[in-house]
């Protein structure tokens, strides 16, 4: 808050005190008001609460201590500074117990009052900053192992939560590495079936006959090597959820078999004659365009509509760059534990590179890059050289192979991004960047970043 926006109300029955303090603090740039007694002060507070009250302890009508108590009851954010010519230990104790920020003894040095007011303003700024940080932390959304601050993904996860409460089939769409199986597991965990099995299977990894026997099971002697009866994934997932990844890759025959299971809720093992009832929720996923596959005759339309009851589309990582610092922290924590290598964070330069990359492999690629970096690093901080990313490729910095982005250009974009993310709050941005405010101000000047009228930093422009 600027000094102009800091409103100070001076409450004293002595006019000379009101005038002298108004003149002194007014020169400091604060917005000043005055009141000759406690009742007038409380009336002014009702009209428009003041940021700071300087209140004389002894006044006609209600005294300063009573004003203090009433203000703290109604406007707890307002700081009250007590003024008194009769300072005793009891006076100080009573005022501080009632919630006064501090007290000053008359006659006082105006400079002393200025210093106390500055202290109040600084503390109120700190409180506001903490509130902003708490709100920022609350914006982080967790749906089991999925974390995000992206408004688009937040809406997606809300839909997934709603879907979890139903029994409907879910179709998850998204590029490879966006976390389709993770989302399926989260839906299962949030569903009434969470006490039953979650069985995952990739339909692209197996041949048609092998996939058929894996899905539906087989009887002894059904084919060469079938030495014993074996239950399939549908039976294994009984009462729970069967996640079929890469559903767009299954053959026409298996499309028909799967359609029958979805319609009849029964399966027949390969080589068997008995039809078995199954109670399984299907969550299917694919990175293919199933609608186009239907139009081109490569995927059954009736099966598509059976699967496409609730469709959830996961957005690629390049469209939710604000999640990258969050994902990096989470992945570093996981990987450090798995690899038994205590890595605390990435350097600002390394983070700038991670933010500039377009991530064609999405979160899976990010995880692989961090795992590699941890393996080749020596200390607790991952540096740019550990990432193994080529700045000339997959960069969102506007670079081209002929004109690769410099490290400074990437840093300029990253700092601009963090400043916008923190709403122009330099202290918060410095904390995220893990540098001190002086260094951050120097970089802001270096890269020509400017604060817009709304307080946020404008998109970075070349220095």
């Amino acid at each position: 808050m600027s000094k102009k926006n800091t409103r100070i109300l001076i409450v004293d029955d002595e006019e000379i005190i009101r005038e002298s303090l108004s003149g002194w603090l007014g020169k400091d740039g604060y917005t000043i008001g005055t009141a000759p007694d406690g009742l007038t002060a409380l009336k002014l507070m009702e009209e428009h609460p003041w940021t700071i009250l300087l209140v004389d302890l002894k006044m006609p009508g209600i005294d300063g201590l009573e004003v203090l108590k009433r203000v703290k009851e109604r406007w707890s954010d307002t700081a009250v500074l007590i003024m008194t010519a009769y300072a005793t230990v009891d006076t100080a104790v009573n005022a501080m117990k009632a919630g006064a920020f501090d007290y000053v003894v008359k006659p006082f040095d105006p400079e002393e009052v200025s210093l106390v007011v500055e202290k109040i303003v600084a503390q109120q700024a700190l409180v506001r900053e903490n509130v902003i940080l708490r709100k920022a932390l609350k914006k982080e959304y967790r749906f089991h192992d999925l974390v995000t601050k992206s408004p688009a993904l937040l809406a997606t996860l809300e839909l997934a939560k709603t879907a979890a409460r139903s029994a409907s089939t879910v179709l998850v769409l998204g590029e490879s590495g966006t976390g389709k199986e993770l989302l399926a597991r989260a839906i299962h965990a949030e569903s009434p079936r969470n006490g039953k099995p979650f069985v995952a299977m990739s339909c692209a990894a197996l041949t048609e006959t092998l996939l058929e026997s894996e899905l539906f099971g087989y009887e002894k002697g059904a084919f060469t090597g079938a030495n014993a009866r074996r239950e399939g994934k549908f039976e294994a997932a009984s009462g729970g959820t069967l996640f079929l990844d890469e559903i767009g890759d299954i053959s026409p025959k298996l499309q028909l078999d799967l359609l029958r299971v979805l319609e009849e809720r029964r399966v027949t093992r390969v080589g068997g004659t008995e039809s078995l009832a199954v109670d399984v929720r299907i969550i299917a996923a694919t990175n293919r365009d199933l609608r186009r596959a239907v139009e081109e005759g490569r995927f059954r339309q009736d099966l598509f509509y059976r699967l496409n009851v609730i469709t959830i589309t996961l957005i690629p990582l390049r469209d939710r760059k604000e999640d990258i610092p969050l994902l990096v922290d989470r992945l570093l924590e996981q990987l450090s534990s798995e690899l038994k290598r205590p890595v605390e964070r990435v350097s600002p330069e390394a983070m700038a590179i991670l933010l500039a990359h377009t991530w064609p492999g999405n979160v899976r690629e990010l995880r692989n890059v961090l795992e590699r970096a941890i393996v080749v690093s020596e200390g607790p901080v991952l540096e740019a050289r550990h990432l193994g990313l080529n700045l000339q490729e997959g960069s969102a910095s506007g670079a081209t192979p002929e004109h690769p982005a410099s490290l400074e250009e990437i840093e300029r974009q990253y700092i601009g991004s963090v400043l916008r993310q923190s709403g122009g709050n330099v202290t918060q941005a410095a904390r995220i960047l893990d540098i001190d405010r002086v260094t951050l101000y120097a970089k802001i000047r270096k890269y020509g970043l400017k604060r817009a009228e709304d307080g946020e930093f404008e998109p970075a422009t070349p220095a």
Side-chain angles (χ1 to χ4, degrees):
M1 181 180 289
S2 68
K3 285 190 172 182
K4 186 178 180 181
N5 292 329
T6 301
R7 306 174 72 246
I8 301 175
L9 182 63
I10 300 164
V11 189
D12 200 303
D13 57 327
E14 294 183 68
E15 185 176 359
I16 189 170
I17 296 292
R18 298 197 301 271
E19 288 182 352
S20 61
L21 279 177
S22 296
W24 184 266
L25 294 173
K27 282 193 296 185
D28 286 346
Y30 301 109
T31 298
I32 306 296
T34 62
D37 53 62
L39 287 175
T40 304
L42 293 173
K43 184 179 177 183
L44 291 172
M45 283 292 291
E46 291 281 359
E47 293 173 355
H48 186 174
W50 293 74
T51 316
I52 300 171
L53 257 62
L54 271 62
V55 185
D56 188 28
L57 193 61
K58 296 288 185 182
M59 291 185 295
I62 61 174
D63 63 15
L65 201 56
E66 184 61 24
V67 172
L68 167 65
K69 289 176 181 175
R70 295 191 192 184
V71 166
K72 299 311 289 185
E73 286 173 0
R74 293 280 309 279
W75 303 280
S76 59
D77 291 341
T78 296
V80 179
L81 179 61
I82 293 291
M83 301 180 291
T84 178
Y86 311 96
T88 64
V89 173
D90 288 343
T91 301
V93 169
N94 290 337
M96 300 306 281
K97 276 185 175 178
F101 182 88
D102 206 343
Y103 70 97
V104 291
V105 181
K106 294 178 180 177
F108 41 69
D109 178 357
E111 186 69 34
E112 177 192 1
V113 177
S114 283
L115 290 174
V116 177
V117 167
E118 285 180 14
K119 191 176 173 183
I120 293 173
V121 171
Q123 189 185 70
Q124 289 180 329
L126 189 60
V127 169
R128 282 194 298 276
E129 188 174 305
N130 286 336
V131 170
I132 291 170
L133 283 173
R134 283 198 296 275
K135 286 182 178 177
L137 287 174
K138 284 182 180 177
K139 287 180 182 175
E140 176 185 326
Y141 183 96
R142 288 175 184 268
F143 187 39
H144 294 270
D145 286 335
L146 292 156
V147 293
T148 184
K149 291 182 178 179
S150 159
L153 189 54
L154 283 174
T156 299
L157 297 185
E158 282 299 319
L159 174 60
K161 266 194 164 183
T162 303
R165 293 192 288 270
S166 75
S168 301
T169 301
V170 177
L171 179 61
V172 184
L173 304 177
E175 296 178 5
S176 294
T178 48
K180 295 188 287 294
E181 181 173 340
L182 210 57
L183 181 68
R185 288 183 181 278
I187 291 173
H188 172 73
E190 287 285 315
S191 76
R193 295 174 178 265
N194 60 12
K196 299 292 184 179
F198 175 89
V199 177
M201 185 167 184
S202 172
C203 300
L206 303 173
T207 63
E208 179 184 281
T209 53
L210 195 51
L211 182 57
E212 181 182 31
S213 61
E214 284 292 317
L215 282 174
F216 307 122
Y218 53 82
E219 297 288 346
K220 181 179 179 181
F223 49 82
T224 303
N227 299 321
R229 172 187 289 176
R230 181 178 174 183
E231 70 175 18
K233 300 298 184 188
F234 274 99
E235 289 178 79
S238 181
T241 301
L242 177 58
F243 174 62
L244 299 176
D245 199 7
E246 309 298 349
I247 194 73
D249 290 25
I250 64 174
S251 67
K253 177 183 183 304
L254 281 178
Q255 290 178 32
L256 179 59
D257 291 343
L258 183 57
L259 177 65
R260 285 178 180 156
V261 174
L262 290 173
E263 289 180 339
E264 300 170 6
R265 296 289 168 181
R266 303 187 73 83
V267 296
T268 302
R269 298 191 189 108
V270 176
T273 56
E274 184 185 5
S275 170
L276 306 170
V278 290
D279 173 24
V280 174
R281 182 188 199 176
I282 299 293
I283 300 179
T286 181
N287 58 5
R288 296 182 182 276
D289 186 341
L290 279 192
R291 286 189 183 278
R292 176 174 293 180
V294 170
E295 291 170 2
E296 295 174 351
R298 293 181 287 106
F299 200 85
R300 294 183 66 97
Q301 186 177 52
D302 44 9
L303 177 58
F304 172 69
Y305 287 123
R306 276 285 180 183
L307 297 173
N308 191 33
V309 178
I310 299 175
T311 301
I312 298 174
T313 303
L314 289 173
I315 59 175
L317 187 55
R318 63 179 171 278
D319 290 339
R320 55 182 183 107
K321 288 290 184 77
E322 63 268 46
D323 281 348
I324 289 179
L326 191 67
L327 289 167
V328 167
D329 286 345
R330 187 165 179 80
L331 290 170
L332 283 185
E333 184 181 341
Q334 291 176 354
L335 291 167
S336 293
S337 175
E338 291 173 14
L339 301 173
K340 303 188 186 313
R341 292 284 302 276
V343 173
E344 298 173 358
R345 58 187 172 84
V346 301
S347 70
E349 292 78 11
M351 182 60 80
I353 291 173
L354 293 174
L355 284 167
H357 193 62
T358 51
W359 300 109
N362 291 293
V363 181
R364 184 182 296 132
E365 183 188 5
L366 174 61
R367 180 188 172 90
N368 292 343
V369 167
L370 293 176
E371 181 175 342
R372 175 196 181 280
I374 291 174
V375 170
V376 302
S377 66
E378 309 85 18
V381 180
L382 298 184
E383 303 290 349
R385 67 179 184 278
H386 298 135
L387 299 178
L389 289 175
N390 186 349
L391 296 182
Q392 299 181 30
E393 297 176 357
S395 169
S397 63
T400 66
E402 294 78 20
H403 303 285
S406 67
L407 194 55
E408 285 195 349
E409 171 60 20
I410 293 172
E411 184 181 63
R412 182 184 67 80
Q413 290 194 12
Y414 177 44
I415 290 174
S417 169
V418 172
L419 283 167
R420 292 192 294 280
Q421 179 186 336
S422 61
N425 186 316
V426 174
T427 301
Q428 186 181 348
R431 188 177 297 117
I432 294 171
L433 293 165
D434 198 27
I435 58 178
D436 58 55
R437 285 163 48 93
V438 174
T439 303
L440 179 53
Y441 274 120
K443 289 181 181 294
I444 289 172
R445 287 194 296 274
K446 175 182 177 182
Y447 295 130
L449 302 174
K450 296 179 180 178
R451 193 186 292 271
E453 290 184 357
D454 60 3
E456 294 194 8
F457 279 79
E458 295 174 330
T461 53

